[in-house]
């Protein structure tokens, strides 16, 4: 993990999103898919906390060596400020942070499921999987055309791809979950990776458990620092031996988790409870990918 | 000024000498493992552990943090592994490089006493900080430390048992801050931590819901600095010889100097560390720059030097010094 003052190389608008490329060789060298960056906000504003973004691209070789790209979904004071940042300005960045996606050793057929800007980290993952000789298929989606992140890139990186939009402006109408069973059957999926809003991930987790598919998901929980100090970004995760659960920090123990071990009901419940005793009969979950 | 030997070290008494007056506040040091990779701990005054309870605590449901103007509203609910696991796993790492101050939080007198006992004689504990803002499980009160008699009872018991200096962390919103501070000192507290987050609520109007899983939380960050300064000022005037550690909204050398002028001996940085892990070092450098510009030798030369009119604080009709 490095703290650097990185120059903005370029910025561009991609549908509803905004992508920023930095010159940060120290971080680009180390960053792996699933890891994220903590970007400092400007001084003298009333918002303080760093904003956190998955690494979309970290180039170690070639003409873009030493660059690092991340994707902003504007809609808050910090993200709106970031969309106004211009080339040659500087950002203070800490990264790479968090646990990366693990690559399967023997299993070959990988299905990557992305909703919205979740695709940013999965395209990076797809490249790494392809470099390891894996087969990559993808389901990408979003509410509308603008909220499907780089659909062309998905096509370029995968053997087969299903594009889904809620309003049918691109690909088939529906959500990524609608395309999931068909894709798994057609492509002979052996491993699932997903990056999407929590409600979608929960349903992917249920699907993978039913089909007995090993999976890894990248989750988002509101973060304070991003490097493990404040214990705010926790997720309830069952212990491996089934003896209960712990609140694990998504910044240092995640953001990539085995969905079979995440206690989704407890995490996403609108009326959260803190039962003093863990629920009976938590499943004993083999470690990924088993 | 030539010939001044300048130092940032501060002597808090009872053998506790910190290399700089800037500590990392409780709850902002992770598990002791993370901070070392982000900042040179030898340049940090001290590191206060997250508040430790007797038994493991999972803390509150998520979301646990929301931003507000110049601050954050948060609630982690004392998530910690319990005193035994803390001593075995976190304490040794926490104390690597910096003075480790352990924050103890309990819901009953017995819990405080048992934790103090467990920490007794540990060479890696430089001091104890008594967290008094948890609910009182014995007396069924919302905040344990808001009642002078109860705070005195707890702090007294910890201070009598502890072999290291004990700092009582006085809740910022105590109705009689000065009485509480005096009581804690009478009971045996070596020093006081003044400031810390006041209770707060963050609302998401769109969803008609509170922003935090715990519903209410605590406000921290620059928003609370003026409240902290007033509290430090009042307490320092009441107990002038007691080491006071200021906490609340300090993120620069100037902020720290303001607190020291108000009467603090040392300061803690909390939210600032979450934004910038190097903040404790930068704040200390800011203090050094101020001392240099003023030709002063150490932070103690600034302490309590706030110039207030002689008539301030005098009761009407009472004669004031000319």
């Amino acid at each position: 993990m490095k703290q650097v003052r990185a120059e903005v190389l370029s910025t561009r608008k991609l549908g509803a999103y905004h992508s920023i490329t930095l010159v940060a060789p120290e971080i680009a060298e180390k960053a792996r898919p699933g890891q994220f960056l903590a970007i400092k906000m400007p001084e003298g504003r009333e918002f303080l906390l760093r904003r956190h973004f998955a690494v979309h691209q970290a180039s170690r070789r070639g003409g873009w060596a030493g660059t690092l790209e991340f994707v902003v979904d504007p809609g808050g004071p910090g993200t709106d400020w970031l969309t106004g940042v211009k080339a040659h300005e500087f950002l203070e960045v800490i990264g790479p942070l968090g646990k990366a996606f693990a690559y399967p050793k023997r299993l070959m057929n990988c299905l990557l499921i992305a909703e919205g800007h979740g695709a940013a980290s999965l395209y990076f993952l797809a490249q790494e999987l392809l470099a390891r000789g894996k087969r990559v298929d993808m389901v990408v989606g979003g509410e509308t055309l603008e909220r499907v992140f780089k659909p062309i890139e998905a096509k370029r990186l995968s053997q087969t791809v299903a594009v889904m939009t809620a309003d049918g402006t691109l690909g088939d109408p529906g959500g990524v979950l609608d395309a999931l069973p068909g894709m798994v059957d057609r492509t002979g999926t052996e491993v699932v990776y997903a990056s999407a809003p929590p409600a979608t991930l929960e349903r992917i987790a249920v699907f993978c458990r039913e089909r007995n598919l090993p999976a890894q998901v990248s989750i988002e929980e509101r973060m304070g620092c991003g490097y493990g100090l404040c214990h705010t970004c926790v997720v309830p995760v069952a212990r491996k031996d089934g003896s209960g659960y712990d609140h694990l920090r998504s910044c240092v123990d995640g953001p990539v988790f085995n969905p079979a071990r995440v206690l989704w009901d407890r995490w996403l419940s609108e009326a959260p409870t803190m039962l003093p005793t863990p629920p009976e009969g938590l499943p004993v979950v083999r470690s990924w990918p088993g | 000024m030539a010939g001044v030997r300048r130092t940032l070290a501060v002597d808090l008494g009872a053998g506790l000498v910190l290399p700089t007056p800037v500590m990392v506040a409780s709850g902002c040091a992770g598990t002791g493992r993370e901070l070392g990779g982000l900042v040179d701990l030898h340049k940090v005054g001290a590191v206060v552990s997250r508040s430790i309870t007797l038994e493991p605590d999972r803390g509150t449901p998520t979301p646990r943090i929301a931003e507000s103007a110049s601050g954050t509203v948060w609630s982690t609910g004392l998530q910690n592994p319990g005193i035994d696991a803390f001593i075995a796993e976190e304490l040794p790492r926490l104390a690597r490089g910096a003075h480790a101050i352990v924050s103890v939080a309990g819901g009953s007198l017995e819990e405080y006493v048992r934790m103090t006992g467990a920490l007794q004689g540990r060479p890696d504990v430089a001091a104890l900080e008594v967290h008094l803002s948890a609910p009182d499980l014995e007396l069924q009160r919302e905040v344990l430390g808001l009642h002078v008699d109860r705070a005195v009872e707890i702090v007294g018991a910890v201070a009598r048992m502890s072999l290291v200096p004990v700092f009582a962390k006085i809740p910022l919103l105590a109705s009689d801050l000065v009485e509480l501070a005096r009581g804690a000192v009478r009971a045996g507290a070596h020093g006081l931590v003044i400031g810390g987050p006041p209770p707060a609520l963050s609302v998401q109007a769109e969803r008609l819901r509170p922003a935090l899983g715990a519903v209410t939380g605590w406000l921290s960050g620059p928003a609370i600095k003026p409240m902290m300064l007033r509290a430090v000022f009042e307490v320092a005037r009441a107990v002038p010889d007691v080491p006071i550690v200021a906490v609340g909204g300090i993120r620069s050398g100037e902020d720290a100097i303001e607190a020291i002028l108000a009467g603090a001996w040392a300061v803690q940085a909390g939210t600032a560390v979450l934004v910038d892990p190097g903040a404790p070092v930068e704040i200390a450098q800011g203090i050094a720059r101020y001392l240099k510009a003023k030709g002063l030798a150490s932070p103690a030369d600034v302490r309590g030097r706030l110039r207030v009119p002689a008539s301030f604080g005098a009761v009407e009709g009472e004669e004031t010094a000319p």
Side-chain angles (χ1 to χ4, degrees), chain A residues 83-286:
Chain A
T83 59
V85 168
K86 303 267 184 313
H88 308 305
E89 292 181 10
F90 284 81
L91 292 175
E92 299 216 15
V93 187
I94 298 181
L97 295 162
K99 290 218 160 69
F101 287 109
Y103 311 121
K105 284 197 183 72
R106 290 179 306 277
L107 304 176
M108 291 306 289
N109 298 349
C110 305
L111 180 64
L112 278 53
I113 308 160
E115 195 174 308
H117 63 274
S121 59
L122 289 194
Y123 294 165
F124 186 18
L125 173 67
Q127 291 173 3
E128 296 294 319
L129 289 171
L130 290 171
R132 282 162 180 76
K134 309 291 175 187
R135 176 190 161 125
V136 171
D137 299 279
M138 280 198 210
V139 181
V140 293
E143 281 142 50
T144 65
L145 164 71
E146 292 81 39
R147 300 195 69 80
V148 179
F149 180 71
K150 292 212 246 181
I152 311 277
E153 185 83 355
K155 232 168 218 164
R156 191 176 70 79
L157 289 167
S158 50
Q159 205 110 85
T160 63
V161 63
V163 180
M164 308 295 291
T165 49
D167 61 359
T169 44
L170 187 71
D172 295 323
V176 291
L177 292 156
D178 299 322
L180 184 53
M183 277 299 268
V184 168
D185 294 338
R186 271 200 306 282
T187 62
T189 298
E190 292 170 302
V191 182
V192 170
Y193 294 92
S195 179
T200 308
L201 291 182
E202 178 180 16
R203 294 177 59 191
I204 292 173
V206 170
F207 177 86
C208 289
R209 190 179 298 173
E210 280 166 4
R211 298 288 191 103
N212 205 16
L213 282 170
Q216 289 209 324
V217 299
S218 173
I219 63 114
E220 276 186 24
E221 174 56 63
R222 236 183 279 158
M223 278 181 191
C225 60
Y227 31 88
L229 300 183
C230 68
H231 285 91
T232 54
C233 59
V234 298
V235 179
V237 177
R239 294 182 191 137
K240 277 182 187 151
D241 59 6
S243 68
Y245 73 98
D246 295 300
H247 272 146
L248 298 186
R249 290 164 291 174
S250 59
C251 62
V252 290
D253 299 309
V256 174
F257 286 103
N258 179 346
R261 285 178 57 203
V262 174
L263 304 180
W264 299 91
D265 307 347
R266 199 172 275 272
W267 182 36
L268 301 178
S269 159
E270 280 285 10
T273 53
M274 290 303 302
L275 301 177
T277 48
E280 290 302 312
L282 285 174
V284 178
V285 179
R286 53 186 191 161

Side-chain angles (χ1 to χ4, degrees), chain B:
Chain B
M1 203 190 289
V4 176
R5 267 184 71 97
R6 203 164 286 116
T7 173
L8 277 179
V10 357
D11 186 350
L12 294 183
L16 186 57
V17 181
L18 308 182
T20 89
V22 189
M23 314 178 186
V24 177
S26 181
C28 297
T31 64
R33 183 202 303 266
E34 301 82 6
L35 207 53
L38 292 158
V39 63
D40 183 357
L41 286 173
H42 294 280
K43 295 182 181 164
V44 175
V47 178
V48 185
S49 75
R50 50 176 160 168
S51 291
I52 305 300
T53 52
L54 190 60
E55 299 296 333
D57 196 323
R58 287 199 188 91
T60 51
T62 54
R64 287 181 169 185
I65 193 163
E67 268 185 315
S68 67
S70 295
T72 66
V73 179
W74 57 272
S75 165
T76 57
L78 304 183
Q79 178 174 347
N80 82 96
I83 189 77
D84 293 336
F86 169 77
I87 290 173
E89 288 153 34
E90 296 191 14
L91 182 57
R93 292 199 300 251
L94 205 62
R96 201 176 296 150
H99 289 285
I101 297 177
V102 180
S103 170
V104 289
S108 69
L109 181 63
E110 189 199 342
E111 288 181 4
Y112 281 100
V113 167
R114 286 176 61 187
M115 280 192 285
T116 311
L119 289 163
Q120 216 167 28
R122 294 281 320 195
D124 35 13
V125 178
L128 296 186
E129 184 176 293
V130 186
H131 174 100
L132 294 167
S133 298
D136 192 330
L137 304 178
E138 265 177 327
L139 301 184
Q140 307 283 312
R141 286 170 177 164
E142 208 138 306
V143 182
L144 183 140
L146 283 184
H147 305 264
V148 178
D149 52 349
R150 184 63 162 159
V152 164
E153 183 187 20
I154 302 277
V155 172
V158 174
R160 276 195 297 280
M161 281 185 75
S162 175
L163 304 175
V164 293
V166 170
F167 288 80
K169 187 169 184 178
I170 309 290
L172 184 63
L173 280 198
S175 58
D176 199 342
L177 194 70
V178 166
E179 265 322 293
L180 207 50
R182 280 206 183 101
V185 171
R186 260 201 318 274
H190 174 74
L192 302 166
V193 180
I194 303 289
L201 173 69
S202 175
V203 171
Q204 289 181 336
E206 191 59 40
R207 296 171 58 236
L208 289 85
R209 283 179 195 284
L212 300 187
V215 183
T216 58
W218 309 91
L219 177 64
S220 66
I224 68 167
K225 188 183 76 173
M227 299 171 75
M228 172 278 289
L229 287 174
R230 176 261 170 192
V232 167
F233 177 65
E234 298 284 359
V235 172
R237 283 162 60 91
V239 287
D241 297 323
V242 175
I244 290 176
V245 181
V247 58
I250 293 170
R251 57 172 172 173
S252 68
E254 292 81 66
D255 294 335
I257 289 291
E258 288 172 18
I260 295 171
L261 280 169
W265 295 42
V267 300
Q268 295 179 350
T271 307
V273 183
L274 305 186
V275 174
D276 237 323
V281 177
E282 282 155 32
I283 294 169
Q285 286 166 349
I287 296 173
R289 277 195 301 274
Y290 179 90
L291 294 177
K292 190 173 180 201
K294 296 278 180 192
L296 299 169
S298 88
D301 295 340
V302 192
R303 186 188 305 153
R305 291 294 183 84
L306 190 66
R307 293 177 187 164
V308 290
S311 58
F312 175 81
V315 182
E316 207 174 327
E318 194 180 278
E319 222 172 291
T320 54

Side-chain angles (χ1 to χ4, degrees), chain A residues 16-19 53 70-76 78-80 83 116-117 147:
Chain A
Y17 309 109
H18 196 86
S19 127
F53 303 95
F70 64 95
V71 178
V72 179
D73 182 7
T79 44
D80 285 349
T83 59
H117 63 274
R147 300 195 69 80

